[in-house]
Amino acid sequence: MSAPSFLHTQLMPRGIRDPLVLGAMRAVPRHHFVPDALRANAYDDNPLPIGHDQTISQPYIVAYMTEALELGGGERVLEIGTGSGYQAAVLAEIVESVYTIEIVPALATEAAARLARMHYANVHVRLGDGHRGWPEAAPFDAIVVTAAPDHVPPALIEQLRPGGRMIVPVGGTDQELILIVKTETGAARRPVLPVRFVPMTGEAQRR
Ligand SMILES: C[S@@+](CC[C@H](N)C(=O)[O-])C[C@H]1O[C@@H](n2cnc3c(N)ncnc32)[C@H](O)[C@@H]1O
């Protein structure tokens, strides 16, 4: 399947409508983010392995999570779980800057090199444990988490600005995407979609 056609077969029929999200999904060449041996499958309607027991998420889920953030351009966004760098590139097409954290050293190095090669100068990649967030760059207008903890990391809520939105898969075998909207006094949470992500490792598993 080619890049333009997956918008019409996978994204729009499932309700992805935001022109900024559809434009970003059209613009980012997903085949550059998958292993060479899987290039022919890059636009398939499923996640794909990227090595180190990790995956690049299904295109629809990337679009869904991006749309849930209600971005308008100009935002500063934090991503936890860089993986291949694909979600970061999609965000970078829309917003001012993306801060993305990956815990597996080889994936962080590869994604940083890939994003630099592709001239995504507004993406900052850090090797580390995203459970702690990126305090020096906070607050963020939006946060997207692409590995599943069994609780919402408190540091991430702290690092979201009031009015900001976070989308995070939470759970073990059964997971839900939770949409969090931070208010001046707290944070409103609601489950929006059942999902299956790789677990968040590091501190998230020691609590
Ligand atoms: C589903 S993959 C992410 C897909 C990625 N967003 C992409 O577009 O390719 C989840 C990623 O989260 C990473 N991860 C897991 N626990 C983490 C943690 N505590 N901090 C940062 N990254 C973590 C994994 O190593 C993996 O690369």
Side-chain angles (χ1 to χ4, degrees):
M1 179 161 305
S2 67
S5 64
F6 85 113
L7 269 71
H8 295 279
T9 57
Q10 299 172 30
L11 308 188
M12 292 156 80
R14 293 184 178 130
I16 304 297
R17 292 275 176 275
D18 185 333
L20 290 177
V21 176
L22 292 169
M25 295 296 292
R26 188 180 287 112
V28 179
R30 186 172 161 93
H31 53 278
H32 287 312
F33 292 83
V34 303
D36 286 348
L38 295 174
R39 277 201 167 203
N41 302 99
Y43 299 91
D44 288 0
D45 192 15
N46 46 254
L48 291 171
I50 56 171
H52 309 275
D53 291 329
Q54 303 303 327
T55 54
I56 176 174
S57 303
Q58 178 189 11
Y60 168 63
I61 294 294
V62 174
Y64 183 94
M65 293 174 81
T66 308
E67 189 168 76
L69 299 177
E70 296 188 355
L71 302 167
E75 291 91 352
R76 302 168 76 255
V77 181
L78 175 66
E79 180 197 21
I80 308 304
T82 315
S84 67
Y86 178 68
Q87 170 79 77
V90 169
L91 290 165
E93 291 284 342
I94 301 173
V95 303
E96 183 186 297
S97 48
V98 180
Y99 295 80
T100 180
I101 307 176
E102 171 56 52
I103 203 166
V104 175
L107 289 176
T109 305
E110 285 163 27
R114 177 179 294 120
L115 289 161
R117 225 171 29 240
M118 296 176 75
H119 306 294
Y120 282 107
N122 59 340
V123 181
H124 311 277
V125 182
R126 167 183 275 191
L127 170 64
D129 188 340
H131 192 268
R132 295 181 212 122
W134 193 321
E136 312 90 294
F140 299 98
D141 300 301
I143 300 179
V144 56
V145 183
T146 69
D150 63 8
H151 58 279
V152 179
L156 299 187
I157 297 194
E158 279 160 29
Q159 291 172 28
L160 193 58
R161 73 158 176 80
R165 298 165 79 85
M166 168 159 51
I167 187 93
V168 48
V170 176
T173 330
D174 294 321
Q175 300 168 8
E176 285 277 353
L177 269 184
I178 308 289
L179 178 64
I180 297 174
V181 182
K182 185 153 170 184
T183 63
E184 291 291 347
T185 51
R189 314 171 179 217
R190 71 184 164 92
V192 291
L193 193 73
V195 284
R196 183 161 292 190
F197 274 82
V198 294
M200 183 179 281
T201 58
E203 179 69 20
Q205 294 183 325
R206 288 192 286 274
R207 287 163 52 100

mmCIF file with all atom_site columns, all heavy atoms in Angstrom, residues 134-155:
data_model
loop_
_atom_site.group_PDB
_atom_site.id
_atom_site.type_symbol
_atom_site.label_atom_id
_atom_site.label_alt_id
_atom_site.label_comp_id
_atom_site.label_asym_id
_atom_site.label_entity_id
_atom_site.label_seq_id
_atom_site.pdbx_PDB_ins_code
_atom_site.Cartn_x
_atom_site.Cartn_y
_atom_site.Cartn_z
_atom_site.occupancy
_atom_site.B_iso_or_equiv
_atom_site.pdbx_formal_charge
_atom_site.auth_seq_id
_atom_site.auth_comp_id
_atom_site.auth_asym_id
_atom_site.auth_atom_id
_atom_site.pdbx_PDB_model_num
ATOM 1   N N   . TRP A 1 134 ? 10.881 15.177 31.271 1.00 0.00 ? 134 TRP A N   1
ATOM 2   C CA  . TRP A 1 134 ? 12.043 15.980 30.854 1.00 0.00 ? 134 TRP A CA  1
ATOM 3   C C   . TRP A 1 134 ? 11.892 17.326 31.561 1.00 0.00 ? 134 TRP A C   1
ATOM 4   O O   . TRP A 1 134 ? 11.480 18.321 30.940 1.00 0.00 ? 134 TRP A O   1
ATOM 5   C CB  . TRP A 1 134 ? 12.020 16.138 29.335 1.00 0.00 ? 134 TRP A CB  1
ATOM 6   C CG  . TRP A 1 134 ? 13.247 16.652 28.675 1.00 0.00 ? 134 TRP A CG  1
ATOM 7   C CD1 . TRP A 1 134 ? 14.094 17.623 29.120 1.00 0.00 ? 134 TRP A CD1 1
ATOM 8   C CD2 . TRP A 1 134 ? 13.751 16.221 27.394 1.00 0.00 ? 134 TRP A CD2 1
ATOM 9   N NE1 . TRP A 1 134 ? 15.097 17.827 28.206 1.00 0.00 ? 134 TRP A NE1 1
ATOM 10  C CE2 . TRP A 1 134 ? 14.917 16.987 27.144 1.00 0.00 ? 134 TRP A CE2 1
ATOM 11  C CE3 . TRP A 1 134 ? 13.355 15.301 26.452 1.00 0.00 ? 134 TRP A CE3 1
ATOM 12  C CZ2 . TRP A 1 134 ? 15.652 16.845 25.967 1.00 0.00 ? 134 TRP A CZ2 1
ATOM 13  C CZ3 . TRP A 1 134 ? 14.082 15.154 25.279 1.00 0.00 ? 134 TRP A CZ3 1
ATOM 14  C CH2 . TRP A 1 134 ? 15.226 15.909 25.047 1.00 0.00 ? 134 TRP A CH2 1
ATOM 15  N N   . PRO A 1 135 ? 12.204 17.363 32.902 1.00 0.00 ? 135 PRO A N   1
ATOM 16  C CA  . PRO A 1 135 ? 11.858 18.545 33.689 1.00 0.00 ? 135 PRO A CA  1
ATOM 17  C C   . PRO A 1 135 ? 12.458 19.845 33.170 1.00 0.00 ? 135 PRO A C   1
ATOM 18  O O   . PRO A 1 135 ? 11.820 20.887 33.229 1.00 0.00 ? 135 PRO A O   1
ATOM 19  C CB  . PRO A 1 135 ? 12.375 18.212 35.098 1.00 0.00 ? 135 PRO A CB  1
ATOM 20  C CG  . PRO A 1 135 ? 13.059 16.896 35.022 1.00 0.00 ? 135 PRO A CG  1
ATOM 21  C CD  . PRO A 1 135 ? 12.810 16.286 33.687 1.00 0.00 ? 135 PRO A CD  1
ATOM 22  N N   . GLU A 1 136 ? 13.687 19.778 32.640 1.00 0.00 ? 136 GLU A N   1
ATOM 23  C CA  . GLU A 1 136 ? 14.334 21.026 32.188 1.00 0.00 ? 136 GLU A CA  1
ATOM 24  C C   . GLU A 1 136 ? 13.619 21.659 31.008 1.00 0.00 ? 136 GLU A C   1
ATOM 25  O O   . GLU A 1 136 ? 13.780 22.852 30.755 1.00 0.00 ? 136 GLU A O   1
ATOM 26  C CB  . GLU A 1 136 ? 15.792 20.769 31.756 1.00 0.00 ? 136 GLU A CB  1
ATOM 27  C CG  . GLU A 1 136 ? 16.632 19.970 32.713 1.00 0.00 ? 136 GLU A CG  1
ATOM 28  C CD  . GLU A 1 136 ? 16.539 18.473 32.436 1.00 0.00 ? 136 GLU A CD  1
ATOM 29  O OE1 . GLU A 1 136 ? 15.430 17.934 32.626 1.00 0.00 ? 136 GLU A OE1 1
ATOM 30  O OE2 . GLU A 1 136 ? 17.534 17.879 32.035 1.00 0.00 ? 136 GLU A OE2 1
ATOM 31  N N   . ALA A 1 137 ? 12.873 20.873 30.265 1.00 0.00 ? 137 ALA A N   1
ATOM 32  C CA  . ALA A 1 137 ? 12.183 21.418 29.077 1.00 0.00 ? 137 ALA A CA  1
ATOM 33  C C   . ALA A 1 137 ? 10.708 21.699 29.363 1.00 0.00 ? 137 ALA A C   1
ATOM 34  O O   . ALA A 1 137 ? 9.994  22.209 28.512 1.00 0.00 ? 137 ALA A O   1
ATOM 35  C CB  . ALA A 1 137 ? 12.320 20.457 27.899 1.00 0.00 ? 137 ALA A CB  1
ATOM 36  N N   . ALA A 1 138 ? 10.230 21.345 30.571 1.00 0.00 ? 138 ALA A N   1
ATOM 37  C CA  . ALA A 1 138 ? 8.817  21.524 30.920 1.00 0.00 ? 138 ALA A CA  1
ATOM 38  C C   . ALA A 1 138 ? 8.531  23.009 31.171 1.00 0.00 ? 138 ALA A C   1
ATOM 39  O O   . ALA A 1 138 ? 9.460  23.774 31.464 1.00 0.00 ? 138 ALA A O   1
ATOM 40  C CB  . ALA A 1 138 ? 8.507  20.702 32.177 1.00 0.00 ? 138 ALA A CB  1
ATOM 41  N N   . PRO A 1 139 ? 7.266  23.465 31.113 1.00 0.00 ? 139 PRO A N   1
ATOM 42  C CA  . PRO A 1 139 ? 6.073  22.648 30.884 1.00 0.00 ? 139 PRO A CA  1
ATOM 43  C C   . PRO A 1 139 ? 5.811  22.405 29.397 1.00 0.00 ? 139 PRO A C   1
ATOM 44  O O   . PRO A 1 139 ? 6.260  23.156 28.539 1.00 0.00 ? 139 PRO A O   1
ATOM 45  C CB  . PRO A 1 139 ? 4.953  23.519 31.479 1.00 0.00 ? 139 PRO A CB  1
ATOM 46  C CG  . PRO A 1 139 ? 5.431  24.927 31.255 1.00 0.00 ? 139 PRO A CG  1
ATOM 47  C CD  . PRO A 1 139 ? 6.935  24.875 31.384 1.00 0.00 ? 139 PRO A CD  1
ATOM 48  N N   . PHE A 1 140 ? 5.066  21.330 29.138 1.00 0.00 ? 140 PHE A N   1
ATOM 49  C CA  . PHE A 1 140 ? 4.704  20.968 27.767 1.00 0.00 ? 140 PHE A CA  1
ATOM 50  C C   . PHE A 1 140 ? 3.230  21.267 27.529 1.00 0.00 ? 140 PHE A C   1
ATOM 51  O O   . PHE A 1 140 ? 2.399  21.154 28.419 1.00 0.00 ? 140 PHE A O   1
ATOM 52  C CB  . PHE A 1 140 ? 4.992  19.484 27.535 1.00 0.00 ? 140 PHE A CB  1
ATOM 53  C CG  . PHE A 1 140 ? 6.443  19.155 27.704 1.00 0.00 ? 140 PHE A CG  1
ATOM 54  C CD1 . PHE A 1 140 ? 6.923  18.619 28.892 1.00 0.00 ? 140 PHE A CD1 1
ATOM 55  C CD2 . PHE A 1 140 ? 7.352  19.417 26.684 1.00 0.00 ? 140 PHE A CD2 1
ATOM 56  C CE1 . PHE A 1 140 ? 8.266  18.342 29.064 1.00 0.00 ? 140 PHE A CE1 1
ATOM 57  C CE2 . PHE A 1 140 ? 8.703  19.147 26.841 1.00 0.00 ? 140 PHE A CE2 1
ATOM 58  C CZ  . PHE A 1 140 ? 9.160  18.609 28.037 1.00 0.00 ? 140 PHE A CZ  1
ATOM 59  N N   . ASP A 1 141 ? 2.927  21.593 26.275 1.00 0.00 ? 141 ASP A N   1
ATOM 60  C CA  . ASP A 1 141 ? 1.534  21.838 25.890 1.00 0.00 ? 141 ASP A CA  1
ATOM 61  C C   . ASP A 1 141 ? 0.791  20.514 25.710 1.00 0.00 ? 141 ASP A C   1
ATOM 62  O O   . ASP A 1 141 ? -0.438 20.471 25.815 1.00 0.00 ? 141 ASP A O   1
ATOM 63  C CB  . ASP A 1 141 ? 1.477  22.616 24.574 1.00 0.00 ? 141 ASP A CB  1
ATOM 64  C CG  . ASP A 1 141 ? 2.181  23.961 24.702 1.00 0.00 ? 141 ASP A CG  1
ATOM 65  O OD1 . ASP A 1 141 ? 1.761  24.754 25.556 1.00 0.00 ? 141 ASP A OD1 1
ATOM 66  O OD2 . ASP A 1 141 ? 3.172  24.195 23.970 1.00 0.00 ? 141 ASP A OD2 1
ATOM 67  N N   . ALA A 1 142 ? 1.533  19.451 25.400 1.00 0.00 ? 142 ALA A N   1
ATOM 68  C CA  . ALA A 1 142 ? 0.905  18.148 25.181 1.00 0.00 ? 142 ALA A CA  1
ATOM 69  C C   . ALA A 1 142 ? 1.952  17.065 25.419 1.00 0.00 ? 142 ALA A C   1
ATOM 70  O O   . ALA A 1 142 ? 3.155  17.302 25.246 1.00 0.00 ? 142 ALA A O   1
ATOM 71  C CB  . ALA A 1 142 ? 0.368  18.049 23.750 1.00 0.00 ? 142 ALA A CB  1
ATOM 72  N N   . ILE A 1 143 ? 1.468  15.884 25.826 1.00 0.00 ? 143 ILE A N   1
ATOM 73  C CA  . ILE A 1 143 ? 2.365  14.743 26.067 1.00 0.00 ? 143 ILE A CA  1
ATOM 74  C C   . ILE A 1 143 ? 1.723  13.506 25.458 1.00 0.00 ? 143 ILE A C   1
ATOM 75  O O   . ILE A 1 143 ? 0.521  13.258 25.644 1.00 0.00 ? 143 ILE A O   1
ATOM 76  C CB  . ILE A 1 143 ? 2.612  14.520 27.576 1.00 0.00 ? 143 ILE A CB  1
ATOM 77  C CG1 . ILE A 1 143 ? 3.259  15.769 28.206 1.00 0.00 ? 143 ILE A CG1 1
ATOM 78  C CG2 . ILE A 1 143 ? 3.486  13.285 27.805 1.00 0.00 ? 143 ILE A CG2 1
ATOM 79  C CD1 . ILE A 1 143 ? 3.540  15.666 29.719 1.00 0.00 ? 143 ILE A CD1 1
ATOM 80  N N   . VAL A 1 144 ? 2.543  12.730 24.727 1.00 0.00 ? 144 VAL A N   1
ATOM 81  C CA  . VAL A 1 144 ? 2.071  11.460 24.179 1.00 0.00 ? 144 VAL A CA  1
ATOM 82  C C   . VAL A 1 144 ? 2.998  10.358 24.691 1.00 0.00 ? 144 VAL A C   1
ATOM 83  O O   . VAL A 1 144 ? 4.217  10.485 24.620 1.00 0.00 ? 144 VAL A O   1
ATOM 84  C CB  . VAL A 1 144 ? 1.991  11.505 22.633 1.00 0.00 ? 144 VAL A CB  1
ATOM 85  C CG1 . VAL A 1 144 ? 3.309  11.889 22.000 1.00 0.00 ? 144 VAL A CG1 1
ATOM 86  C CG2 . VAL A 1 144 ? 1.508  10.188 22.056 1.00 0.00 ? 144 VAL A CG2 1
ATOM 87  N N   . VAL A 1 145 ? 2.396  9.314  25.237 1.00 0.00 ? 145 VAL A N   1
ATOM 88  C CA  . VAL A 1 145 ? 3.169  8.209  25.811 1.00 0.00 ? 145 VAL A CA  1
ATOM 89  C C   . VAL A 1 145 ? 2.907  6.981  24.953 1.00 0.00 ? 145 VAL A C   1
ATOM 90  O O   . VAL A 1 145 ? 1.750  6.607  24.734 1.00 0.00 ? 145 VAL A O   1
ATOM 91  C CB  . VAL A 1 145 ? 2.762  7.953  27.277 1.00 0.00 ? 145 VAL A CB  1
ATOM 92  C CG1 . VAL A 1 145 ? 3.613  6.847  27.886 1.00 0.00 ? 145 VAL A CG1 1
ATOM 93  C CG2 . VAL A 1 145 ? 2.876  9.227  28.105 1.00 0.00 ? 145 VAL A CG2 1
ATOM 94  N N   . THR A 1 146 ? 3.976  6.326  24.459 1.00 0.00 ? 146 THR A N   1
ATOM 95  C CA  . THR A 1 146 ? 3.792  5.215  23.523 1.00 0.00 ? 146 THR A CA  1
ATOM 96  C C   . THR A 1 146 ? 4.297  3.884  24.068 1.00 0.00 ? 146 THR A C   1
ATOM 97  O O   . THR A 1 146 ? 4.568  2.955  23.312 1.00 0.00 ? 146 THR A O   1
ATOM 98  C CB  . THR A 1 146 ? 4.428  5.538  22.141 1.00 0.00 ? 146 THR A CB  1
ATOM 99  O OG1 . THR A 1 146 ? 5.842  5.565  22.286 1.00 0.00 ? 146 THR A OG1 1
ATOM 100 C CG2 . THR A 1 146 ? 3.940  6.863  21.598 1.00 0.00 ? 146 THR A CG2 1
ATOM 101 N N   . ALA A 1 147 ? 4.447  3.796  25.388 1.00 0.00 ? 147 ALA A N   1
ATOM 102 C CA  . ALA A 1 147 ? 4.702  2.521  26.075 1.00 0.00 ? 147 ALA A CA  1
ATOM 103 C C   . ALA A 1 147 ? 3.797  2.545  27.298 1.00 0.00 ? 147 ALA A C   1
ATOM 104 O O   . ALA A 1 147 ? 3.539  3.615  27.854 1.00 0.00 ? 147 ALA A O   1
ATOM 105 C CB  . ALA A 1 147 ? 6.168  2.422  26.491 1.00 0.00 ? 147 ALA A CB  1
ATOM 106 N N   . ALA A 1 148 ? 3.305  1.360  27.717 1.00 0.00 ? 148 ALA A N   1
ATOM 107 C CA  . ALA A 1 148 ? 2.239  1.350  28.721 1.00 0.00 ? 148 ALA A CA  1
ATOM 108 C C   . ALA A 1 148 ? 2.757  1.128  30.138 1.00 0.00 ? 148 ALA A C   1
ATOM 109 O O   . ALA A 1 148 ? 3.276  0.053  30.449 1.00 0.00 ? 148 ALA A O   1
ATOM 110 C CB  . ALA A 1 148 ? 1.221  0.271  28.376 1.00 0.00 ? 148 ALA A CB  1
ATOM 111 N N   . PRO A 1 149 ? 2.593  2.118  31.022 1.00 0.00 ? 149 PRO A N   1
ATOM 112 C CA  . PRO A 1 149 ? 2.804  1.904  32.458 1.00 0.00 ? 149 PRO A CA  1
ATOM 113 C C   . PRO A 1 149 ? 1.499  1.380  33.059 1.00 0.00 ? 149 PRO A C   1
ATOM 114 O O   . PRO A 1 149 ? 0.452  1.416  32.410 1.00 0.00 ? 149 PRO A O   1
ATOM 115 C CB  . PRO A 1 149 ? 3.105  3.311  32.973 1.00 0.00 ? 149 PRO A CB  1
ATOM 116 C CG  . PRO A 1 149 ? 2.372  4.227  32.033 1.00 0.00 ? 149 PRO A CG  1
ATOM 117 C CD  . PRO A 1 149 ? 2.236  3.511  30.716 1.00 0.00 ? 149 PRO A CD  1
ATOM 118 N N   . ASP A 1 150 ? 1.545  0.899  34.324 1.00 0.00 ? 150 ASP A N   1
ATOM 119 C CA  . ASP A 1 150 ? 0.283  0.487  34.952 1.00 0.00 ? 150 ASP A CA  1
ATOM 120 C C   . ASP A 1 150 ? -0.321 1.618  35.778 1.00 0.00 ? 150 ASP A C   1
ATOM 121 O O   . ASP A 1 150 ? -1.300 1.436  36.487 1.00 0.00 ? 150 ASP A O   1
ATOM 122 C CB  . ASP A 1 150 ? 0.458  -0.795 35.775 1.00 0.00 ? 150 ASP A CB  1
ATOM 123 C CG  . ASP A 1 150 ? 1.417  -0.605 36.937 1.00 0.00 ? 150 ASP A CG  1
ATOM 124 O OD1 . ASP A 1 150 ? 1.832  0.558  37.187 1.00 0.00 ? 150 ASP A OD1 1
ATOM 125 O OD2 . ASP A 1 150 ? 1.747  -1.609 37.588 1.00 0.00 ? 150 ASP A OD2 1
ATOM 126 N N   . HIS A 1 151 ? 0.300  2.791  35.710 1.00 0.00 ? 151 HIS A N   1
ATOM 127 C CA  . HIS A 1 151 ? -0.227 3.985  36.384 1.00 0.00 ? 151 HIS A CA  1
ATOM 128 C C   . HIS A 1 151 ? 0.256  5.176  35.566 1.00 0.00 ? 151 HIS A C   1
ATOM 129 O O   . HIS A 1 151 ? 1.240  5.056  34.821 1.00 0.00 ? 151 HIS A O   1
ATOM 130 C CB  . HIS A 1 151 ? 0.357  4.071  37.800 1.00 0.00 ? 151 HIS A CB  1
ATOM 131 C CG  . HIS A 1 151 ? 1.857  4.123  37.776 1.00 0.00 ? 151 HIS A CG  1
ATOM 132 N ND1 . HIS A 1 151 ? 2.653  2.995  37.644 1.00 0.00 ? 151 HIS A ND1 1
ATOM 133 C CD2 . HIS A 1 151 ? 2.722  5.171  37.777 1.00 0.00 ? 151 HIS A CD2 1
ATOM 134 C CE1 . HIS A 1 151 ? 3.928  3.344  37.593 1.00 0.00 ? 151 HIS A CE1 1
ATOM 135 N NE2 . HIS A 1 151 ? 3.997  4.655  37.669 1.00 0.00 ? 151 HIS A NE2 1
ATOM 136 N N   . VAL A 1 152 ? -0.413 6.298  35.692 1.00 0.00 ? 152 VAL A N   1
ATOM 137 C CA  . VAL A 1 152 ? 0.046  7.494  34.968 1.00 0.00 ? 152 VAL A CA  1
ATOM 138 C C   . VAL A 1 152 ? 1.223  8.092  35.745 1.00 0.00 ? 152 VAL A C   1
ATOM 139 O O   . VAL A 1 152 ? 1.081  8.417  36.929 1.00 0.00 ? 152 VAL A O   1
ATOM 140 C CB  . VAL A 1 152 ? -1.088 8.531  34.834 1.00 0.00 ? 152 VAL A CB  1
ATOM 141 C CG1 . VAL A 1 152 ? -0.585 9.772  34.099 1.00 0.00 ? 152 VAL A CG1 1
ATOM 142 C CG2 . VAL A 1 152 ? -2.291 7.924  34.110 1.00 0.00 ? 152 VAL A CG2 1
ATOM 143 N N   . PRO A 1 153 ? 2.393  8.211  35.121 1.00 0.00 ? 153 PRO A N   1
ATOM 144 C CA  . PRO A 1 153 ? 3.554  8.745  35.858 1.00 0.00 ? 153 PRO A CA  1
ATOM 145 C C   . PRO A 1 153 ? 3.279  10.164 36.372 1.00 0.00 ? 153 PRO A C   1
ATOM 146 O O   . PRO A 1 153 ? 2.991  11.065 35.586 1.00 0.00 ? 153 PRO A O   1
ATOM 147 C CB  . PRO A 1 153 ? 4.668  8.735  34.799 1.00 0.00 ? 153 PRO A CB  1
ATOM 148 C CG  . PRO A 1 153 ? 4.263  7.670  33.825 1.00 0.00 ? 153 PRO A CG  1
ATOM 149 C CD  . PRO A 1 153 ? 2.763  7.756  33.769 1.00 0.00 ? 153 PRO A CD  1
ATOM 150 N N   . PRO A 1 154 ? 3.388  10.357 37.710 1.00 0.00 ? 154 PRO A N   1
ATOM 151 C CA  . PRO A 1 154 ? 3.067  11.672 38.284 1.00 0.00 ? 154 PRO A CA  1
ATOM 152 C C   . PRO A 1 154 ? 3.897  12.805 37.677 1.00 0.00 ? 154 PRO A C   1
ATOM 153 O O   . PRO A 1 154 ? 3.397  13.918 37.494 1.00 0.00 ? 154 PRO A O   1
ATOM 154 C CB  . PRO A 1 154 ? 3.381  11.499 39.768 1.00 0.00 ? 154 PRO A CB  1
ATOM 155 C CG  . PRO A 1 154 ? 3.407  10.022 40.008 1.00 0.00 ? 154 PRO A CG  1
ATOM 156 C CD  . PRO A 1 154 ? 3.759  9.361  38.721 1.00 0.00 ? 154 PRO A CD  1
ATOM 157 N N   . ALA A 1 155 ? 5.170  12.530 37.351 1.00 0.00 ? 155 ALA A N   1
ATOM 158 C CA  . ALA A 1 155 ? 6.024  13.596 36.808 1.00 0.00 ? 155 ALA A CA  1
ATOM 159 C C   . ALA A 1 155 ? 5.458  14.134 35.495 1.00 0.00 ? 155 ALA A C   1
ATOM 160 O O   . ALA A 1 155 ? 5.616  15.314 35.177 1.00 0.00 ? 155 ALA A O   1
ATOM 161 C CB  . ALA A 1 155 ? 7.442  13.069 36.588 1.00 0.00 ? 155 ALA A CB  1
#
